[in-house]
Amino acid sequence: MPGELEFERPLADLRRKIDELRQFMQESGIDLSDEVAKLERRLEELSDEIYGNLTAWQRVQMARQPGRPTTLDYIQGMCSEFLELHGDRSFRDDPAVVGGIGLLDGRPVTIIGTQKGRDTKENIQRNFGMAHPEGYRKALRLMRQAEKFGRPVIFFIDTAGAYPGSSAEERGQSVAIAENLREMAGLRVPTVCVVTGEGGSGGALALGITDRIYVLEYAWYSVISPESAAAILWRDSSLAPQAAERMRVTAQDLLDLGVADEVLPEPKGGAQKDPARMIAVVKEKVVTALAELTRMDVADLLRARYDKYRRIGVFLET
């Protein structure tokens, strides 16, 4: 099957056998329903075994699976209305970052997120979700607009990282990211982010300084990709699986380290298996978080945000 990962092949083989048996039953008229039921039970057991014991690297691979809901999919599924806004008022519009104003259960909100393509052509158009500085400046413009009009801001993160090319550096990539970090820390409106797939480097962090951080079960979030870390540490990107384990990039690691506030469960096999269900889970969590955050006055909101990030990374020496 397209997009099938190596560790998922036993499941694909079992599904194929079940389909073949069903087709044989239909063509021959022979009842093999008991055998089919046994194989289906085995498929369920094997699914639980495989997806319940994924390694860190396998989770990274899951986060990159095609068909996972994109930012625009979440917007369409969560909002009754949405007006996309474009451009950074300085250079151009960056299609790797989408944003605008939506109605979430009747509440006006600003939504911003990195956007990967749904196919090869769109991925090229959107630079595989790797934003240029104008993408982050567009995000900053929309954040300031949201603050001016008192709208909560929702962020969706799914990017391997900011675009690392010379053209991006010439236009101030690092400054654009740094300005977002500074401004997000002091935004006077509630903010929530959801890491839906890859959360790579400063390109993800530039949309991630928020009051609540939710991470999907098979998503990852780190200062660097496992391949790049392996290349730097051991000069061999093929050692990415070992790097992923040591870097503690998985959703559960992020929860344990205090980076994530909650891990959102995905359908078995990943969000791409049942996008509608995944979108519903995310919407419920975001609506609940905004209901809590909007009850806080601005001073308490900013103080809680400050304390949240001061707590991350605390350790003891013995």
Side-chain angles (χ1 to χ4, degrees), residues 93-121:
D93 184 50
D94 184 355
V97 175
V98 297
I101 306 167
L103 279 180
L104 177 64
D105 283 357
R107 179 201 298 271
V109 295
T110 291
I111 304 179
I112 304 167
T114 49
Q115 176 69 24
K116 291 182 177 179
R118 298 180 180 89
D119 53 36
T120 302
K121 181 179 179 181

Side-chain angles (χ1 to χ4, degrees), residues 194-225:
V194 184
V195 183
T196 62
E198 297 189 270
S201 192
L205 190 62
L207 302 179
I209 305 298
T210 57
D211 298 307
R212 297 284 186 274
I213 299 176
Y214 300 115
V215 183
L216 267 60
E217 183 178 0
Y218 299 133
W220 65 273
Y221 193 26
S222 175
V223 296
I224 192 171
S225 72

Side-chain angles (χ1 to χ4, degrees), residues 4-292:
E4 177 187 294
L5 297 170
E6 180 68 30
F7 63 86
E8 293 180 303
R9 286 187 180 174
L11 299 175
D13 291 341
L14 259 179
R15 291 191 190 99
R16 197 159 33 248
K17 288 179 183 177
I18 292 170
D19 290 341
E20 288 171 358
L21 268 181
R22 284 176 174 157
Q23 185 175 355
F24 178 76
M25 286 169 59
Q26 189 175 2
E27 293 173 352
S28 66
I30 300 174
D31 183 11
L32 297 173
S33 53
D34 288 345
E35 286 74 8
V36 170
K38 287 178 184 177
L39 288 177
E40 287 176 336
R41 285 195 297 272
R42 175 56 186 152
L43 177 64
E44 187 70 20
E45 292 168 358
L46 190 59
S47 295
D48 291 341
E49 182 181 333
I50 289 175
Y51 293 121
N53 296 282
L54 294 176
T55 66
W57 176 242
Q58 287 169 339
R59 290 175 181 271
V60 170
Q61 292 177 296
M62 291 283 285
R64 296 171 175 170
Q65 281 284 73
R68 290 178 71 86
T70 67
T71 294
L72 288 175
D73 293 326
Y74 283 104
I75 290 172
Q76 183 179 9
M78 292 170 60
C79 294
S80 57
E81 294 182 44
F82 181 72
L83 173 66
E84 186 174 352
L85 302 175
H86 298 272
D88 67 340
R89 301 299 186 265
S90 178
F91 184 72
R92 64 157 189 154
D93 184 50
D94 184 355
V97 175
V98 297
I101 306 167
L103 279 180
L104 177 64
D105 283 357
R107 179 201 298 271
V109 295
T110 291
I111 304 179
I112 304 167
T114 49
Q115 176 69 24
K116 291 182 177 179
R118 298 180 180 89
D119 53 36
T120 302
K121 181 179 179 181
E122 190 182 356
N123 261 322
I124 293 171
Q125 176 205 350
R126 297 190 181 276
N127 201 32
F128 295 85
M130 294 186 293
H132 290 75
E134 50 270 21
Y136 295 115
R137 291 185 177 118
K138 172 169 68 174
L140 181 57
R141 180 175 74 84
L142 297 182
M143 292 179 217
R144 286 171 172 165
Q145 182 195 77
E147 183 178 50
K148 178 179 179 180
F149 292 101
R151 291 191 299 267
V153 189
I154 303 164
F155 299 89
F156 290 100
I157 295 174
D158 184 13
T159 180
Y163 179 61
S166 59
S167 60
E169 296 300 334
E170 288 165 359
R171 296 198 297 277
Q173 184 74 288
S174 58
V175 173
I177 292 173
E179 287 177 341
N180 278 19
L181 300 180
R182 181 190 65 199
E183 293 295 320
M184 293 182 80
L187 277 180
R188 299 171 67 83
V189 292
T191 54
V192 175
C193 90
V194 184
V195 183
T196 62
E198 297 189 270
S201 192
L205 190 62
L207 302 179
I209 305 298
T210 57
D211 298 307
R212 297 284 186 274
I213 299 176
Y214 300 115
V215 183
L216 267 60
E217 183 178 0
Y218 299 133
W220 65 273
Y221 193 26
S222 175
V223 296
I224 192 171
S225 72
E227 293 93 334
S228 297
I232 291 171
L233 291 173
W234 305 304
R235 299 184 181 180
D236 185 354
S237 61
S238 68
L239 297 177
Q242 291 92 314
E245 292 289 346
R246 297 191 183 190
M247 291 163 62
R248 300 189 67 185
V249 300
T250 70
Q252 187 58 51
D253 289 328
L254 295 165
L255 184 65
D256 293 342
L257 292 168
V259 175
D261 292 291
E262 192 171 333
V263 175
L264 304 186
E266 296 191 33
K268 191 179 296 182
Q272 72 279 5
K273 301 293 186 184
D274 193 348
R277 178 179 160 198
M278 190 72 255
I279 292 169
V281 169
V282 170
K283 178 180 179 179
E284 181 182 1
K285 184 54 61 177
V286 169
V287 168
T288 301
L290 290 182
E292 295 172 358

